Amino acid sequence: MAVWTVLAAQDQLDQSKKADAQEARAQASRISTWTMQEKGGKWRVHVMNRSPDPIGNVYLTFRVLPAGMPQVAWAVMLTSVPPCSDMTFRQDQLGYDEDRRAPDSAPEGITMFSTFSTFSTPVPDKPSDKGWQSLTDMDPWLLSGAVGFTDRDGVPWMRANGRLIQTGAPLPNLPGIPGDVVGLPAVRAMDGCDERS
C-alpha cells in the first residue's frame, strides 16, 4: 500500500511539473515569425502575437537568399508587439547599403536583450547614402531567421528553426550586409486571441 501511495504522489508531482511547464510556455508558444510572398510576387515579413498580452524586447532576424544580389541580413529591434496582432514589414520597406559590412559576431557577453550595433530600429526615411539599394524593384527570396522576445512575465524566449526555447542567449548571427527597415511596420488586429484558443 505504501508503494502505491509513493507512486501516486510521484505521478501527481510529475503532472504538476508538466502543467507548470505548459503554463510557462503558454504565451511564448503563440509567437511566430515567417516570410511570405504575396500574389503580386512581393514579400512581407511577419511577426505574429496570438496571445492576449503584448510581448516586449523583440529582436527579429531574416535574410535574402542571394541570387543575383549580395547576401543581406536584417537584425531588427522592436519595443513590443501588441496583443492579438500580426505585425508586418513590406518588401518596399527593406534595403541595404553595399558599403556597410556586418561584424563577424556579437561582442563578448552580449545577450539577446542587449542593444549592440548589429540590431537596429526601423528608420523613418530612406538613407541618403549613395550606396543605398532598395528591394522595391528587386526579385529577392526572403528567409526567416529567428525572433527573440520577453513574455508577460519577463521571461526571455527565442523561436528559431521551428523550435521554441527559453533562453537569454544571443540570437544567431546571420551573415551578410546589414539591412535596414524604412518606416514603421503595419499592425493588423486579429480575432480569437484569448487564453482558451
Side-chain angles (χ1 to χ4, degrees):
M1 182 85 160
V3 171
W4 291 112
T5 304
V6 169
L7 290 174
Q10 183 63 45
D11 185 51
Q12 286 178 340
L13 181 61
D14 291 344
Q15 288 178 10
S16 176
K17 285 181 181 179
K18 187 176 179 180
D20 288 347
Q22 287 175 338
E23 174 66 26
R25 294 173 63 92
Q27 183 187 21
S29 66
R30 296 173 182 211
I31 312 304
S32 55
T33 183
W34 70 94
T35 58
M36 187 171 114
Q37 196 170 24
E38 298 178 332
K39 288 181 185 177
K42 297 299 181 184
W43 288 86
R44 281 193 194 260
V45 179
H46 293 257
V47 181
M48 184 180 284
N49 177 4
R50 293 179 295 114
S51 82
D53 295 299
I55 56 170
N57 300 317
V58 182
Y59 290 76
L60 173 68
T61 62
F62 55 97
R63 66 187 176 96
V64 164
L65 183 64
M69 62 179 291
Q71 185 163 327
V72 182
W74 285 262
V76 182
M77 179 175 46
L78 302 166
T79 306
S80 64
V81 175
C84 298
S85 67
D86 181 15
M87 183 178 278
T88 59
F89 294 106
R90 298 178 321 272
Q91 178 177 330
D92 64 357
Q93 290 181 270
L94 307 177
Y96 62 95
D97 184 343
E98 289 192 33
D99 296 331
R100 289 173 54 197
R101 291 285 175 230
D104 292 331
S105 62
E108 194 71 32
I110 297 297
T111 67
M112 176 173 70
F113 304 107
S114 300
T115 55
F116 58 94
S117 61
T118 59
F119 281 91
S120 61
T121 57
V123 295
D125 299 309
K126 290 181 182 178
S128 57
D129 303 342
K130 64 180 180 179
W132 170 257
Q133 301 287 320
S134 173
L135 263 60
T136 301
D137 297 322
M138 295 184 183
D139 190 19
W141 191 265
L142 290 178
L143 300 174
S144 293
V147 62
F149 58 93
T150 53
D151 68 13
R152 63 185 164 226
D153 298 321
V155 178
W157 296 89
M158 176 174 65
R159 184 180 290 280
N161 302 319
R163 294 187 57 220
L164 178 65
I165 25 180
Q166 184 179 337
T167 180
L171 286 181
N173 272 352
L174 298 177
I177 299 168
D180 288 308
V181 174
V182 176
L184 296 175
V187 179
R188 180 179 64 89
M190 299 168 37
D191 294 326
C193 293
D194 59 32
E195 288 298 335
R196 295 178 308 278
S197 62

